[in-house]
Amino acid sequence: MSQTIESFKLLLENAFSEPLTYLEASQLLTIKVQENQLFATLKTLKETLKFDALIDHAGVDWPNENKIELIYILFSTHHNQQIMVSADIDRNQPTPPSVSSLWAIAEWQEREVFDLLGVTYKNHPDLRRLFLEDNWVGSPLRKDYKDDFILERPW
Amino acid sequence: MVTLNDRISCHTPNQDGTTTQEYFINMGPQHPSTHGVLRLILKMDGETVNDIIPVLGYIHRGIEKKAEAVGYRQQVHLTDRLDYLCALMNNWAVSAAIEKALNLEVNDRIQTVRTIIAELQRIQSHQLWWGVFGMDLGAFTPFLYGFRDREKITEIFEKTMGARLTMNYFQPGGMMYDIHPDFVKDIKEFIKYFRPILKEYEDLFSGNIIVQERLKNVGIIDAQTALAYGATGPVLRASGMPLDLRKMQPYGAYSKVNFTVPVGTVGDSWDRYQVRIQEMYQSLLIIEQLIDNIPDGPHMTMKYAAKIKPPAGRYYTQMETARGIFGTFFVSDGNDRPYRMHFRTPNFNNLWSILKMAPGGRVADLVAILSSIDLVVPDMDR
Amino acid sequence: MGLINDNPENPFKEAIPGSPAFITSIDKVVNWARSNSLWPLTFGTSCCAIEVMMAAGAAHHDLARFGAEVARPSPRQADLLVIAGTIVKRMEPLLKTLYDQMAEPKYVIATGACAISGGPFIYDSYTTIRGAHEVIPVDVYVPGCPPRPEAFFYGLLTLQKMIIEGQTIAKPFERRKPVLSVLPPRIKLEQIRDELVKNLTARSVTDLNQNPKELGL
């Protein structure tokens, strides 16, 4: 690591006008953002702080809290730093903004999340199922997904 | 939603006023040069590829769903089936993720042996790539040479691990068995054998005028575009960006060894070829520096227990496999099974850079480009 | 389209004039020729393809010894379909098409745990087909995850034996029951198990006879 976490946090906080919320239960440095702040935060991270690679994007389903948590893992080749951005969105109507205008790879990572978790991104250029057939019903990675086909392990 | 018909433009005016019609051609899923069951829909104008629409899912087994149903120790066995050519590096990545979550430090012996084995596997993976690359370009000899030498590493692995392809050798906390008594001797013999052979590879294939003509200035991509399109590993390094986690965020025993990261200049298929060949030399160097002083110690630091329960939270660990960054993201809720397991696989992210590489080229170039990206389809679909 | 999925009517239903002895000897020659010139289709979906199609076909193991090295990319030119890897729901119709496109007589070898039963993905997977036999008929199963090239050769030899003993000219569409090519006759499963237990106890921290309560589980 080229910088310590503390000096990097300072750099982060200078870039944002509002104070940041950090998620404690995480191994990487994680910023927690609201859904309406999501795009602006990621844009600042990309353009001001030079996080030029979207390494990974995934979703986590939390049915008890009625939310889907979106995870963005960013990497900066300038700072050699990694950061995770976490945003909670409504589980029944998940319509977060697409970030494919910032990082091109987001187009397909978001298609994967749409396919497996049923998150419909706004302003996505080509939102189709990626792995499953177009006539598939349901989102398999949701915790309440039921299917005639799945065999439960008998023990 | 965009349908296929929306993507076609029926009349492209030519210079002499005539018009041609674009058409779709289907490549795969059963196609010898897609290395598995990747399907590409090509939008063609004559012999020129204008656009590519990759269609995935022909080997989507739902590993992430499956991972939620099995315990932490069993995750290692699932990662073998992702990118089976880097099975051990995937094992390492998921084991390290669980170790970090448990705050478990593994000893120097485990780190050194893991590093040696990972580098051996990098050579093995590149050998297979080299053979198949030759076959895709129409030369059968590289295939036979590559597999002849790959078999030597497979035998070293088999002696220690008891398996040839899906090893499940690295476990959370260490290794399943200790290394075989012949391990050091075999590897030294292999290095002695393979260094001149690698030179022969270059004499046989790299110097060939047909190979160079088919690879140079084919499928050019610049570093920023490649990074934005998610490429990592040799694909990105061939474009000139030295992003290698072994150097940038050293893990294992990589901080103790001297090696350079081969970087290309143009970002064409030829650079991707050269980067991989040079990586094999570097891997040999790394192994040579480590093989003579493997520290003593136990091969397993964790007590045998069937159930691992990491504290609740989100964990992400990444490593550099032969094809790029392999990341393991998991959410634990304190139980013996992960709440959510997600694998950041290099091949899924590497694939999309062909959308920038191939258009404008010919179909035969597309085969060379596909092969130079070195895709493993089950890793893509998961 | 002209695809016939069921076995078409046997054109040799009527007894062929001539002595049965004559037919039998022709059978022998034809079956011998067929068994030694199997042309496999290059069809690999996942890990097994490396071991079964590539490592077996390359110089070290050399599939050519058994006359099956002419790998064909087109199903029209192949008569052996080696299912090397997992078959998922999306691949199912394509596998069926590939099989239908092959010309009779055609044979199917299912290699690896996934093609036999779904293997590691039999439970808790929403796409994996539990065995290739749910899609197309299979002649020989080769167990392993993935099987070694030697195991695949054993499966191939089993198939050759089946061809020599089985199909006749008079019944070209008759299929025999599938066979699991397991172990050569002199090796017993118990032997392998004993060796495994010996290895595990000698070289690992794993204690097979331990009491889970002592470990605090």
Side-chain angles (χ1 to χ4, degrees), chain B residues 28-53:
Chain B
Q30 197 267 321
H31 189 280
S33 77
T34 57
H35 300 187
V37 283
L38 174 66
R39 180 179 168 208
L40 300 171
I41 300 172
L42 313 177
K43 193 167 84 171
M44 309 279 298
D45 187 1
E47 184 77 358
T48 312
V49 180
N50 276 359
D51 198 5
I52 298 174
I53 307 164

Side-chain angles (χ1 to χ4, degrees), chain C residues 7-210:
Chain C
N7 283 344
E9 208 159 290
N10 185 354
F12 299 107
K13 207 183 261 173
E14 299 294 316
I16 298 170
S19 73
F22 176 66
I23 297 288
T24 318
S25 46
I26 289 187
D27 269 357
K28 266 188 188 164
V29 175
V30 169
N31 284 340
W32 172 81
R34 277 178 183 167
S35 70
N36 286 309
S37 65
L38 292 165
W39 287 16
L41 175 73
T42 52
F43 176 72
T45 55
S46 55
C47 341
C48 290
I50 302 293
E51 286 286 273
V52 162
M53 296 307 297
M54 296 171 106
H60 189 86
H61 292 285
D62 197 10
L63 193 53
R65 292 179 288 162
F66 307 102
E69 85 279 18
V70 194
R72 295 275 110 183
S74 164
R76 291 289 189 205
Q77 300 166 357
D79 57 359
L80 171 64
L81 176 57
V82 182
I83 305 170
T86 324
I87 304 298
V88 300
K89 271 187 187 173
R90 197 166 188 172
M91 199 65 206
E92 187 183 351
L94 292 152
L95 177 63
K96 184 101 184 73
T97 315
L98 279 177
Y99 178 75
D100 287 340
Q101 281 178 333
M102 286 165 64
E104 286 279 0
K106 52 192 172 190
Y107 313 99
V108 180
I109 298 182
T111 60
C114 291
I116 294 173
S117 68
F121 310 103
I122 184 167
Y123 299 122
D124 308 308
S125 168
Y126 47 91
T127 50
T128 311
I129 302 287
R130 298 179 189 97
H133 57 268
E134 296 198 354
V135 190
I136 55 172
V138 175
D139 292 310
V140 177
Y141 294 106
V142 182
C145 189
R148 301 172 57 91
E150 291 91 335
F152 174 65
F153 292 154
Y154 190 65
L156 193 74
L157 291 171
T158 312
L159 180 70
Q160 291 186 348
K161 207 172 157 197
M162 275 172 76
I163 296 170
I164 288 175
E165 289 173 358
Q167 282 196 339
T168 62
I169 300 179
K171 298 173 188 165
F173 299 106
E174 191 196 61
R175 297 195 84 97
R176 285 182 52 162
K177 270 191 179 169
V179 173
L180 182 68
S181 92
V182 221
L183 297 165
R186 58 202 161 73
I187 298 176
K188 296 274 189 310
L189 204 61
E190 281 73 30
Q191 271 175 301
I192 294 179
R193 195 176 292 142
D194 290 347
E195 203 174 312
L196 206 71
V197 169
K198 214 177 92 194
N199 268 339
L200 277 171
T201 39
R203 295 169 60 198
S204 154
V205 286
T206 310
D207 177 10
L208 292 176
N209 300 316
Q210 67 194 339

Side-chain angles (χ1 to χ4, degrees), chain B residues 8-23 43-48 50:
Chain B
I8 209 161
S9 78
C10 286
H11 299 289
T12 321
N14 283 343
Q15 285 171 339
D16 56 354
T18 55
T19 56
T20 54
Q21 189 179 15
E22 288 185 332
Y23 62 100
K43 193 167 84 171
M44 309 279 298
D45 187 1
E47 184 77 358
T48 312
N50 276 359

Side-chain angles (χ1 to χ4, degrees), chain B residues 9 33 62 68 105 155 168 180 256 277 284 298 377 379-380:
Chain B
S9 78
S33 77
E68 290 171 11
E105 284 285 323
E155 273 161 20
N168 312 321
H180 194 271
K256 294 180 200 160
I277 293 281
L284 286 178
V377 184
D379 190 39
M380 217 183 280

Side-chain angles (χ1 to χ4, degrees), chain B residues 79-355:
Chain B
T79 52
D80 273 335
R81 276 91 191 159
L82 287 170
D83 183 353
Y84 38 79
L85 299 178
C86 309
L88 285 160
M89 286 185 254
N90 294 355
N91 289 173
W92 188 3
V94 75
S95 302
I98 296 167
E99 281 157 15
K100 271 192 188 174
L102 295 169
N103 259 329
L104 190 74
E105 284 285 323
V106 293
N107 60 27
D108 277 357
R109 181 185 181 81
I110 295 171
Q111 296 286 27
T112 312
V113 172
R114 280 180 177 181
T115 312
I116 292 170
I117 289 177
E119 286 310 311
L120 263 185
Q121 180 134 62
R122 196 181 305 274
I123 297 175
Q124 194 196 30
S125 168
H126 286 343
Q127 280 171 340
L128 187 137
W129 158 81
W130 184 77
V132 175
F133 191 53
M135 204 161 67
D136 282 346
L137 293 182
F140 196 65
T141 317
F143 175 73
L144 297 175
Y145 274 45
F147 266 89
R148 178 194 66 190
D149 303 328
R150 187 181 181 272
E151 211 62 46
K152 301 223 183 296
I153 299 184
T154 312
E155 273 161 20
I156 296 174
F157 284 164
E158 199 183 357
K159 258 189 184 174
T160 292
M161 303 161 202
R164 285 166 54 90
L165 195 70
T166 49
M167 288 91 164
N168 312 321
Y169 180 57
F170 299 150
Q171 303 289 315
M175 279 104 63
M176 198 176 251
Y177 317 112
D178 208 349
I179 52 173
H180 194 271
D182 291 349
F183 185 74
V184 175
K185 183 179 73 104
D186 285 351
I187 289 181
K188 278 184 183 164
E189 269 172 23
F190 171 76
I191 294 174
K192 212 170 147 193
Y193 164 83
F194 188 60
R195 206 182 279 277
I197 294 276
L198 198 49
K199 186 76 187 46
E200 200 181 322
Y201 280 15
E202 289 204 81
D203 291 345
L204 177 76
F205 199 66
S206 315
N208 191 322
I209 182 75
I210 303 170
V211 172
Q212 296 203 7
E213 288 288 320
R214 281 200 66 182
L215 297 183
K216 281 187 176 166
N217 294 321
V218 168
I220 299 176
I221 191 164
D222 66 283
Q224 282 309 319
T225 319
L227 195 63
Y229 273 76
T232 49
V235 180
L236 180 63
R237 289 198 284 274
S239 300
M241 181 166 293
L243 172 57
D244 190 329
L245 294 180
R246 294 178 293 167
K247 272 275 188 230
M248 290 179 85
Q249 303 174 352
Y251 54 91
Y254 287 115
S255 50
K256 294 180 200 160
V257 290
N258 291 320
F259 66 103
T260 53
V261 178
V263 171
T265 47
V266 186
D268 54 359
S269 300
W270 175 249
D271 276 359
R272 288 189 280 278
Y273 173 85
Q274 282 292 342
V275 162
R276 288 204 181 87
I277 293 281
Q278 295 306 320
E279 271 187 12
M280 285 201 257
Y281 282 113
Q282 295 302 324
S283 295
L284 286 178
L285 267 181
I286 295 173
I287 297 169
E288 271 180 340
Q289 291 172 49
L290 291 173
I291 193 71
D292 274 329
N293 31 32
I294 298 176
D296 286 331
H299 63 274
M300 181 60 112
T301 51
M302 205 178 352
K303 262 193 177 172
Y304 173 74
K307 285 179 181 172
I308 297 174
K309 291 183 182 175
R314 292 150 190 80
Y315 302 95
Y316 181 77
T317 304
Q318 56 184 10
M319 275 185 191
E320 185 80 29
T321 71
R323 285 170 186 74
I325 295 175
F326 181 89
T328 313
F329 169 76
F330 70 90
V331 180
S332 165
D333 57 353
N335 280 328
D336 59 330
R337 291 171 187 183
Y339 184 78
R340 169 90 165 89
M341 192 93 188
H342 176 74
F343 298 111
R344 189 262 182 218
T345 54
N347 292 289
F348 175 76
N349 293 277
N350 278 357
L351 166 72
W352 308 103
S353 49
I354 53 163
L355 302 189

